[in-house]
Amino acid sequence: ATFGRADDGAPSSIPGWVHVSSGKVRELHRPAPGSAWDGEDVLLVVASDRISAYDHVLSTPIPDKGRVLTQLSLWWFAQLEAAGVPSHVVSTEVPAEVAGRAMICRALDMVEAECIVRGHLAGSGLAEYRQSGTVTGIALPDGLVDGSRLPEPIFTPSSKAEQGGHDENISFATLAEQVGAEQAEQLREATLRVHALAEERCRAAGIVLADTKLEFGHDPRTGELVLGDEVLTPDSSRFWPAEEWEPGRAQPSFDKQYVRDWLTSPASGWDRGSDVAPPPLPADVVAATRERYLDAYRRLTGGELED
Ligand code: ATP
Ligand code: MG
């Protein structure tokens, strides 16, 4: 029931397109009969300004967030493409209603796993390490703490949860059982390749890339493995300002920290353990969050988000 929120920038009706499905943040549309793209195996992928936290889509949108996610993804897709990683982007000429926040993409058969790569320890990786000294079964050295840099980046896939569920970390062996050994190898190789390029760019921009999630799919025409969804955005990645990185504590990040902090503070009056939807965000939390998304965009691309 997240779809069609009045002010989230992702209208339900777009001339020339037929709505297919809603994710937490994105809306997918296919070409309408008789439209310019009719007969092509493409999707219009529209990033709304919705923000999710603690498995809830919040009722307050973050202005410009959808444009940041789309423009940043396009910036990365172009560089990755140049480095030999094919992407699902077909065209950026999109209807005026969704200008800047949408792209026309090849409709892929999505791989049913999320391809996560970690260069630092945080989140569910940290939780598993504290329990067992491993992350998705990969043994790590003793003595690592919250935010530690790993000796080398590791591929730590997770299963895609059904709507509303939690993604679950899985071992490489489990991934290989699910998608086949050869494809699992391909996914690991492609994921680590993306990470190597991304980490270098992030470091140059003053950002620590702690981890990131990629989604791949197969081009139904050729069977080729293609990078889909969004890529290397604050929503799909843990970006930390390099100047504030300090292992041994939770790291400040570019994304939802203000939102999470406020939601769990007494000021919100919200009980995270309840089933109740979170309250609307106050204007200062919205403004600070918006600024963080724009800051990530600026640092990485070196430019301002264009109108
Ligand atoms: P989900 O839909 O899995 O719950 P989500 O809430 O993160 O995830 P969004 O990011 O809002 O979803 O929506 C994007 C959806 O589109 C995802 O399900 C993603 O897997 C799918 N997707 C992205 N690129 C493509 C593509 N090229 N072809 C088909 N599906 C795609
Ligand atoms: Mg998503």
Side-chain angles (χ1 to χ4, degrees), residues 227-256:
L227 188 54
D229 206 49
E230 64 178 335
V231 64
L232 292 155
T233 70
D235 276 13
S236 65
S237 320
R238 277 196 180 82
F239 289 147
W240 297 333
E243 69 275 12
E244 293 172 58
W245 173 56
E246 192 191 311
R249 60 161 167 87
Q251 311 298 314
S253 80
F254 274 101
D255 55 0
K256 301 173 182 170

Side-chain angles (χ1 to χ4, degrees), residues 64-305:
D64 294 324
K65 177 175 179 281
R67 290 199 304 131
V68 167
L69 297 183
T70 297
Q71 295 306 314
L72 193 54
S73 290
L74 287 169
W75 183 80
W76 283 114
F77 277 132
Q79 294 176 74
L80 291 165
E81 194 99 49
V85 181
S87 92
H88 66 157
V89 179
V90 171
S91 171
T92 54
E93 285 180 37
V94 299
E97 288 83 352
V98 291
R101 67 168 71 246
M103 48 200 187
I104 295 169
C105 299
R106 180 73 45 209
L108 303 176
D109 299 326
M110 297 304 284
V111 171
E112 285 301 313
E114 317 218 304
C115 292
I116 297 168
V117 51
R118 300 171 191 271
H120 288 73
L121 204 52
S124 66
L126 177 66
E128 181 182 327
Y129 174 78
R130 282 179 170 158
Q131 275 207 334
S132 59
T134 63
V135 179
T136 65
I138 299 169
L140 295 175
D142 289 339
L144 301 178
V145 294
D146 196 345
S148 284
R149 187 183 164 93
L150 301 176
E152 60 183 1
I154 53 175
F155 175 61
T156 61
S158 78
S159 66
K160 274 194 90 164
E162 295 298 312
Q163 263 220 323
H166 280 284
D167 294 348
E168 222 175 279
N169 289 344
I170 56 174
S171 68
F172 186 77
T174 303
L175 177 69
E177 273 166 34
Q178 288 176 1
V179 303
E182 195 185 330
Q183 197 184 124
E185 273 305 341
Q186 255 184 16
L187 290 169
R188 172 162 65 186
E189 208 263 330
T191 301
L192 291 172
R193 186 129 63 99
V194 170
H195 181 266
L197 181 144
E199 198 192 26
E200 193 187 305
R201 296 280 196 287
C202 285
R203 192 179 312 120
I207 290 174
V208 173
L209 175 60
D211 55 44
T212 193
K213 179 202 75 171
L214 306 175
E215 290 189 30
F216 290 90
H218 289 97
D219 186 328
R221 303 168 308 170
T222 60
E224 186 184 29
L225 190 68
V226 174
L227 188 54
D229 206 49
E230 64 178 335
V231 64
L232 292 155
T233 70
D235 276 13
S236 65
S237 320
R238 277 196 180 82
F239 289 147
W240 297 333
E243 69 275 12
E244 293 172 58
W245 173 56
E246 192 191 311
R249 60 161 167 87
Q251 311 298 314
S253 80
F254 274 101
D255 55 0
K256 301 173 182 170
Q257 209 55 53
Y258 283 97
V259 172
R260 295 199 186 107
D261 290 350
W262 183 79
L263 283 176
T264 52
S265 75
S268 79
W270 183 61
D271 174 7
R272 191 182 157 188
S274 74
D275 277 345
V276 179
L281 301 174
D284 60 323
V285 174
V286 171
T289 303
R290 172 177 177 272
E291 199 41 56
R292 289 232 134 177
Y293 277 86
L294 289 170
D295 188 27
Y297 180 86
R298 263 185 230 118
R299 281 203 200 205
L300 281 165
T301 67
E304 287 294 322
L305 189 69

Side-chain angles (χ1 to χ4, degrees), residues 15-88:
W17 297 87
V18 178
H19 183 250
V20 184
S21 64
S22 308
K24 287 186 282 292
V25 170
R26 282 173 190 75
E27 303 295 341
L28 303 187
H29 307 255
R30 61 177 165 76
S35 68
W37 289 96
D38 189 14
E40 301 262 7
D41 218 355
V42 295
L43 292 169
L44 179 69
V45 179
V46 182
S48 74
D49 290 338
R50 296 192 292 267
I51 188 167
S52 67
Y54 300 121
D55 289 330
H56 291 271
V57 177
L58 305 184
S59 58
T60 316
I62 306 296
D64 294 324
K65 177 175 179 281
R67 290 199 304 131
V68 167
L69 297 183
T70 297
Q71 295 306 314
L72 193 54
S73 290
L74 287 169
W75 183 80
W76 283 114
F77 277 132
Q79 294 176 74
L80 291 165
E81 194 99 49
V85 181
S87 92
H88 66 157

